[in-house]
Amino acid sequence: MDVTDIAAALALWPQTANCTARLINHSENHTFRIDRHGVPAFCLRVHRPGYQSRRSIESELSWLTALRRDVGIPAPAPVAGSNGQHLQEIWSAAGDCRLAVLFPFATGQEPRPDDDLEPLFRTLGSVAARMHEHAEQWTPPAGFERQVWSGAHILDAAGLWGDWRQAPGVDTPTRALLDRLDTELRRRLAEYGTAADRFGLIHADMRLGNLLVDGDAVTLIDFDDCGFCWFAYDFAAAISFHETHAAVPALRAAWLAGYQANRPFGADDIAALETMVLLRRMALLAWIGSHGETGLAQQHANGFAAGTAMLAERYLGGALWR
C-alpha cells in the first residue's frame, strides 16, 4: 500500500477531495498525513493486516466516541466516509485490501524524554483515571471485542506482540535472568488479581509517541492497542522505551498525584506499578523482535535487552526505584 494507492482512496471521504497524502509513521500501522493546499488537514490510519479485525476496530472507535462524549477525553474523533461509516476499505492497485480510519489532524509536538515531563504526567494520570472510571461504568455495545493484555498474552511464546525470547540481544545469560523475571511476573500478577476495580478497558499505549502537546493542551492519539488490562498498566505504557531514565521516579509521583485526584488508587495498586513496568518492558522487547522492519524498533533495539535485564535485576532484588 503506497502513496499512490492512498491518493486514489481519498475519494472515500468527501472532505479529502483535492488533498495529497504523505507517509509520516510506520509502527504497527501506516499513518499518512493528508494535506489540503499544502496544509495538514487529516491523518489516515491504514491498518496492518492480521492484527485487528473489523469488529475490533469498530469496538475501538465506539469506546473512543463514548470517551469523547461522556468524559471529554482530548482525542480526535473519527471522520465518516461518504457511506456514513468510520471504517473504510482501501484497495491497492495490486488488489490488496486494508482497513482505514480518517481523523482530523491534531496540532502539537511529541514530548521528548528530556523535557520537563512532570506537569504532563500529572495530566496523564488525570486522563487515565477518568478513562478508567468511565470503563468501570460504561456498557459496551453488543459484539464489542478488544484484545486482553494478560500476563500470558504478553509473556507466552505466542504473545500478542511476539516472543520476547526471540528478540535481539537475548543471549544465554540474559535469557536465564528474564526467565526468572517471567516466572515472578506471572506469580505477582496472579496475586494482584483481576478484580473490577483494577482490571478493565484501558488505552494501553499512552506513551510519549502517542501524545501531542500544544501549550497547555494535550491530545491523546492512537487507541489501536486499547484492550482489557490492569489499570496500572497505563502508567507503564506512558514510560515506554524510557524505563531506565533517571526521571521515572518523579514521573511516577506526578502520575499518581494526577490519578489519585480523580480516582482511588490504593497501596496494592501503587505496589503493582513495578510489576506493570516490567510487564510492559517485556512486551516491548517482544515487539522489537517481531517488528524489526520498523524505524521505532530499529531505534531502540540496541541495548534494549540489556536494559531489560538490568531492570529485572533491580525488580527481583526488590529495589526498582529505591
Side-chain angles (χ1 to χ4, degrees):
M1 190 70 64
D2 58 22
V3 171
T4 302
D5 297 322
I6 299 302
L10 293 181
L12 293 167
W13 293 271
Q15 301 91 331
T16 56
N18 302 315
C19 288
T20 58
R22 178 166 65 88
L23 180 67
I24 58 173
N25 186 53
H26 172 211
S27 55
E28 199 64 59
N29 305 305
H30 288 78
T31 303
F32 294 84
R33 195 180 92 174
I34 310 301
D35 287 359
R36 181 186 289 124
H37 307 301
V39 178
F42 301 96
C43 277
L44 180 65
R45 184 180 71 190
V46 181
H47 284 263
R48 174 169 68 89
Y51 184 53
Q52 300 289 6
S53 67
R54 172 180 289 275
R55 176 175 289 183
S56 181
I57 300 168
E58 290 173 342
S59 297
E60 169 209 342
L61 298 179
S62 69
W63 189 44
L64 170 58
T65 300
L67 285 169
R68 285 174 47 83
R69 179 192 65 229
D70 301 340
V71 196
I73 292 299
V79 178
S82 300
N83 62 359
Q85 302 300 310
H86 289 133
L87 187 59
Q88 298 291 328
E89 292 183 349
I90 291 180
W91 291 86
S92 73
D96 298 320
C97 181
R98 301 278 289 272
L99 297 173
V101 184
L102 186 72
F103 296 93
F105 186 85
T107 60
Q109 299 294 320
E110 176 184 331
R112 297 173 300 180
D114 292 325
D115 291 343
D116 177 14
L117 295 178
E118 289 184 44
L120 173 62
F121 268 68
R122 281 193 290 273
T123 298
L124 290 183
S126 173
V127 169
R130 289 156 53 206
M131 291 174 64
H132 300 164
E133 190 79 16
H134 181 271
E136 280 192 282
Q137 301 171 3
W138 184 55
T139 301
F144 188 89
E145 176 186 287
R146 293 300 299 177
Q147 65 262 38
V148 178
W149 294 103
S150 68
H153 284 98
I154 290 174
L155 298 171
D156 283 358
L160 289 169
W161 274 356
D163 184 1
W164 63 261
R165 301 157 191 84
Q166 304 301 317
V170 181
D171 54 20
T172 300
T174 301
R175 168 68 188 272
L177 176 57
L178 295 185
D179 275 334
R180 289 175 50 212
L181 173 65
D182 183 299
T183 299
E184 183 62 12
L185 286 173
R186 294 174 194 262
R187 186 191 71 78
R188 294 196 197 184
L189 290 170
E191 186 177 83
Y192 184 49
T194 56
D197 65 344
R198 60 188 56 176
F199 191 97
L201 194 55
I202 69 169
H203 183 279
D205 199 22
M206 210 180 295
R207 59 187 176 88
L208 299 185
N210 285 332
L211 304 173
L212 291 171
V213 178
D214 189 2
D216 292 332
V218 179
T219 302
L220 179 59
I221 61 174
D222 196 358
F223 279 67
D224 184 50
D225 289 311
C226 73
F228 296 94
C229 189
W230 290 274
F231 294 140
Y233 190 84
D234 265 340
F235 167 74
I239 59 169
S240 290
F241 299 110
H242 308 294
E243 297 87 352
T244 61
H245 199 286
V248 166
L251 299 182
R252 169 181 173 272
W255 189 91
L256 279 170
Y259 196 101
Q260 291 177 311
N262 291 271
R263 184 178 181 272
F265 204 69
D268 287 347
D269 305 310
I270 294 172
L273 289 175
E274 291 192 358
T275 296
M276 299 304 157
V277 168
L278 269 297
L279 181 65
R280 173 66 172 189
R281 184 80 182 194
M282 293 290 271
L284 294 175
L285 182 61
W287 188 89
I288 287 172
S290 62
H291 291 69
E293 77 284 359
T294 67
L296 184 61
Q298 293 164 10
Q299 175 187 349
H300 293 286
N302 186 30
F304 199 85
T308 306
M310 180 268 290
L311 292 170
E313 286 182 331
R314 291 183 185 176
Y315 175 79
L316 294 170
L320 184 58
W321 289 316
R322 293 186 292 275

